[in-house]
Amino acid sequence: MTARETILATVRANLPKPAVSMPEVPTSTDHSGTEGGVGWRRSLDDLGEVHDFPDEGESPVPYFRRHLDAMGGRSFEVADAAAARAKVAELFPDAKVVCSAADEVPGTRRIADVVDPHDLADVDVGIVRSRLGVAEAGAVWLSGTDLVVDALGVLAQHLVVLLDPSAVVPTLHDAYGARLDLASSPYGVFMAGPSATADIEGVVIYGAQGARTMTILLLAADATGEI
């Protein structure tokens, strides 16, 4: 038995008995809040005013883009797949290895051809399509299904994410309550902006543990055009 197997066996043997139920996740889509206080609007009201938060029925995309900018990311609207490919070429003219998990932008290396995650060590630009964005966090959800090889999200020097604007929800409550299927993939992560750390003299360093830049291309899923 390996050390990993020993550790996992020990954890499994010492799980709480009886099992502790998971906390309830609010699933209300009533953004005006409820008397029980589980609506996100009610929760935000309790925390004080949130500036520039979209009103009911207003698109959350501008709010998503502002928060992404604040996290060090950037976003662009593109009309179709050809425009997405042109934008990637414009932003990364010196990239030699562009590894893609998105059909719209094939790149120079298909992620389906990668067998060993270590083979991603030389990737300049990684491209993936996210199925979900969250406005209040400026974040996108990347699952193992989306990435194909999980390491693509952290080993690429620069990460480009295709996101359908209609897939942006206002809050994390909306994401967990209605859109996020945690059972569909063994791996998933919310990612907001590039990798960054500021624990040394308060200086922000990008790319410390992952991608140095994060670019969101807002591209409707049905606006792929010719590939």
Side-chain angles (χ1 to χ4, degrees):
M1 180 177 288
T2 66
R4 179 177 182 276
E5 292 170 338
T6 300
I7 292 172
L8 291 177
T10 302
V11 170
R12 293 189 182 102
N14 290 278
L15 291 175
K17 297 177 182 178
V20 178
S21 58
M22 297 294 288
E24 180 180 357
V25 177
T27 57
S28 171
T29 56
D30 179 7
H31 292 176
S32 62
T34 70
E35 292 300 324
V38 297
W40 60 266
R41 179 72 72 183
R42 175 64 171 272
S43 299
L44 292 178
D45 289 344
D46 290 344
L47 292 174
E49 182 181 0
V50 178
H51 296 287
D52 300 326
F53 201 85
D55 293 328
E56 190 74 23
E58 185 180 354
S59 172
V61 174
Y63 195 73
F64 167 83
R65 299 182 71 176
R66 288 196 296 273
H67 275 233
L68 176 68
D69 290 345
M71 298 298 289
R74 57 185 175 178
S75 61
F76 302 93
E77 295 179 346
V78 291
D80 52 28
R85 293 195 294 274
K87 196 65 182 179
V88 171
E90 173 192 336
L91 295 174
F92 307 102
D94 299 325
K96 293 181 174 57
V97 180
V98 179
C99 185
S100 177
D103 293 336
E104 296 92 334
V105 186
T108 62
R109 181 184 299 169
R110 299 296 302 171
I111 192 67
D113 298 329
V114 176
V115 177
D116 185 343
H118 293 85
D119 294 339
L120 298 173
D122 62 347
V123 172
D124 297 307
V125 181
I127 301 175
V128 60
R129 177 173 277 281
S130 169
R131 306 179 188 191
L132 180 66
V134 180
E136 69 171 348
V140 292
W141 173 255
L142 298 177
S143 72
T145 303
D146 302 324
L147 292 163
V148 183
V149 178
D150 299 345
L152 180 64
V154 293
L155 287 186
Q157 292 292 317
H158 306 277
L159 189 62
V160 175
V161 180
L162 309 184
L163 178 65
D164 191 328
S166 67
V168 177
V169 298
T171 71
L172 285 167
H173 280 181
D174 291 311
Y176 279 101
R179 301 290 295 271
L180 202 57
D181 183 6
L182 295 175
S184 65
S185 175
Y187 174 81
V189 61
F190 278 112
M191 192 172 291
S195 168
T197 181
D199 58 352
I200 301 175
E201 298 185 358
V203 177
V204 178
I205 304 296
Y206 291 111
Q209 297 95 14
R212 293 156 54 195
T213 69
M214 184 178 192
T215 304
I216 305 295
L217 297 184
L218 295 167
L219 174 63
D222 58 356
T224 55
E226 295 183 0
I227 297 175

